[in-house]
Amino acid sequence: MKCPYCNHPDTRVIDSRPADDGNSIRRRRSCDVCGKRFTTYEKVETIPLIIIKKDNNREQYNRGKIETGILRACYKRPVSAAEIQKCIDRVETKIFSLEEKEIPSSTIGEIVMDELKKLDEVAYVRFASVYREFKDVNTFMDEIKKILDRGNA
C-alpha cells in the first residue's frame, strides 16, 4: 500500500480488525520512510452492480450517490453521523441481498425511503419530495398526511 503522505510504495500493517460494519477490515498502517500512520479499509470485491436509471441508461452502482442523497435529506436534522452511516449500510446490504446484476433506480429509491422513514420523518419527506418529483403542494401534503395517519393508527 502506497503511503498517502510521501508516496513511498511500501508500508507496514500495525493492526488489523473487523470494521464496525462487519463487512470490511480496518488496518492501521505505518510508513517506514516518513513514519506517518494512516488507516485503510479492505472490502470484498463484489460483482459490479448496474443501476437502470429512469431514462433506461445504465451506470455502475455508486455508494456515494446514496450517501449524498441521505446526507442532503438529513441536513440540519438531529441525526448523528453514525446513524446516517448505519442507514447507508442497511440500504447497501438490502441492495446487495437482492443478488441481482441489474437493479432499477426506483427499487433503490424505495429502499432508501423505507430506511429514512425509520430514521427521521422530515428527512424522509425531503427525500421523497425530490425522488417522487412532487409537482405541487397538494402532492406534498398527501405524503405528509400518510405519515400523520400512520402515526395516529
Side-chain angles (χ1 to χ4, degrees), residues 97-120:
S97 70
L98 296 173
E99 295 182 3
E100 298 288 333
K101 292 180 182 174
E102 293 188 336
I103 297 178
S105 60
S106 58
T107 302
I108 294 173
E110 294 299 325
I111 292 170
V112 170
M113 285 195 298
D114 286 344
E115 288 300 323
L116 280 174
K117 206 180 283 186
K118 298 172 203 166
L119 185 67
D120 184 87

Side-chain angles (χ1 to χ4, degrees), residues 12-127:
R12 261 183 311 127
V13 174
I14 299 168
D15 181 43
S16 289
R17 64 181 65 177
D20 292 335
D21 65 2
N23 296 323
S24 59
I25 301 215
R26 178 184 182 272
R27 298 193 193 278
R28 284 296 291 159
R29 296 178 177 268
S30 175
C31 178
D32 293 330
V33 174
C34 70
K36 297 217 178 182
R37 293 182 176 198
F38 58 99
T39 303
T40 60
Y41 291 88
E42 186 177 307
K43 266 191 153 172
V44 173
E45 189 172 36
T46 57
I47 302 166
L49 179 62
I50 303 300
I51 307 304
I52 305 168
K53 306 297 279 183
K54 287 179 187 176
D55 61 2
N56 276 334
N57 281 334
R58 285 165 165 71
E59 64 180 48
Q60 196 163 347
Y61 169 77
N62 180 353
R63 177 186 169 103
K65 287 190 172 190
I66 293 172
E67 195 166 352
T68 300
I70 291 175
L71 284 169
R72 278 191 187 139
C74 293
Y75 182 68
K76 291 193 176 182
R77 295 296 305 150
V79 182
S80 72
E83 289 174 308
I84 291 171
Q85 285 306 313
K86 286 178 187 171
C87 178
I88 295 165
D89 290 341
R90 285 191 304 271
V91 168
E92 196 169 57
T93 299
K94 285 181 180 180
I95 291 168
F96 283 105
S97 70
L98 296 173
E99 295 182 3
E100 298 288 333
K101 292 180 182 174
E102 293 188 336
I103 297 178
S105 60
S106 58
T107 302
I108 294 173
E110 294 299 325
I111 292 170
V112 170
M113 285 195 298
D114 286 344
E115 288 300 323
L116 280 174
K117 206 180 283 186
K118 298 172 203 166
L119 185 67
D120 184 87
E121 289 180 341
V122 172
Y124 161 74
V125 172
R126 283 179 178 170
F127 186 89

